[in-house]
Amino acid sequence: MDIRLGNGFDVHAFGTGDHVTLCGVHIPFDRGLTGHSDADVGLHALTDALFGALAEGDIGQWFPPSDPQWKGAASHLFLEKAVERVAARGFQIANLDLTLVCEAPKIGPHAAAMRAEVAGLAGITLDRISIKATTSERLGFTGREEGIAALATAALVSA
Ligand code: MG
């Protein structure tokens, strides 16, 4: 059996706005996240974890920020491309694990909705998807509430 692991990391800064989109879930908030796409830091980290497991580059290579077609893009497009590549290469996603690092908004109340969203996009069952959250104890940029960081791990097995 061929087993592949990949990791992904992403950061987006807070800017003006009235909501953030995390793992495809709309969360009302007093700021938004800035970025070329919809700045869904969770889906970006998961996408990079899948590309990493396949050793097929990163999200910036697949979807260059310099390309205007990705401006304001819904990030499910990015994850769907990575999932498509997993299947094309003859793998299945064994599990996905995501950690969101922020002081606010609170992730817990939305984690179930995020898992459901990711399960739909990845085509795997809920028990294979973990969405966790932590703070950085008020330290650093996440501690100062300047933005959100996300770390993801993906495991693939040969189909
Ligand atoms: Mg990003």
Short mmCIF file of all heavy atoms in Angstrom, two decimals, residues 10-12 44, ligand 1:
data_model
loop_
_atom_site.label_atom_id
_atom_site.label_comp_id
_atom_site.label_asym_id
_atom_site.label_seq_id
_atom_site.Cartn_x
_atom_site.Cartn_y
_atom_site.Cartn_z
N ASP A 10 -1.41 28.26 6.04
CA ASP A 10 -1.84 29.50 5.40
C ASP A 10 -2.18 30.53 6.46
O ASP A 10 -2.50 30.18 7.61
CB ASP A 10 -3.05 29.25 4.48
CG ASP A 10 -3.29 30.41 3.51
OD1 ASP A 10 -2.29 31.06 3.11
OD2 ASP A 10 -4.45 30.66 3.16
N VAL A 11 -2.10 31.77 6.04
CA VAL A 11 -2.44 32.91 6.91
C VAL A 11 -3.19 33.93 6.08
O VAL A 11 -2.83 34.15 4.92
CB VAL A 11 -1.15 33.58 7.46
CG1 VAL A 11 -1.48 34.89 8.17
CG2 VAL A 11 -0.39 32.65 8.39
N HIS A 12 -4.22 34.50 6.65
CA HIS A 12 -4.83 35.69 6.05
C HIS A 12 -5.06 36.73 7.13
O HIS A 12 -5.37 36.38 8.28
CB HIS A 12 -6.14 35.36 5.33
CG HIS A 12 -5.92 34.76 3.98
ND1 HIS A 12 -5.79 35.50 2.83
CD2 HIS A 12 -5.73 33.47 3.61
CE1 HIS A 12 -5.56 34.70 1.80
NE2 HIS A 12 -5.51 33.46 2.24
N HIS A 44 -7.68 26.79 2.11
CA HIS A 44 -6.37 26.95 1.46
C HIS A 44 -5.35 25.98 2.08
O HIS A 44 -4.56 25.35 1.37
CB HIS A 44 -5.86 28.38 1.59
CG HIS A 44 -6.68 29.38 0.82
ND1 HIS A 44 -6.38 30.71 0.75
CD2 HIS A 44 -7.82 29.20 0.09
CE1 HIS A 44 -7.28 31.33 0.00
NE2 HIS A 44 -8.17 30.45 -0.40
MG MG B 1 -4.50 31.71 1.28
#
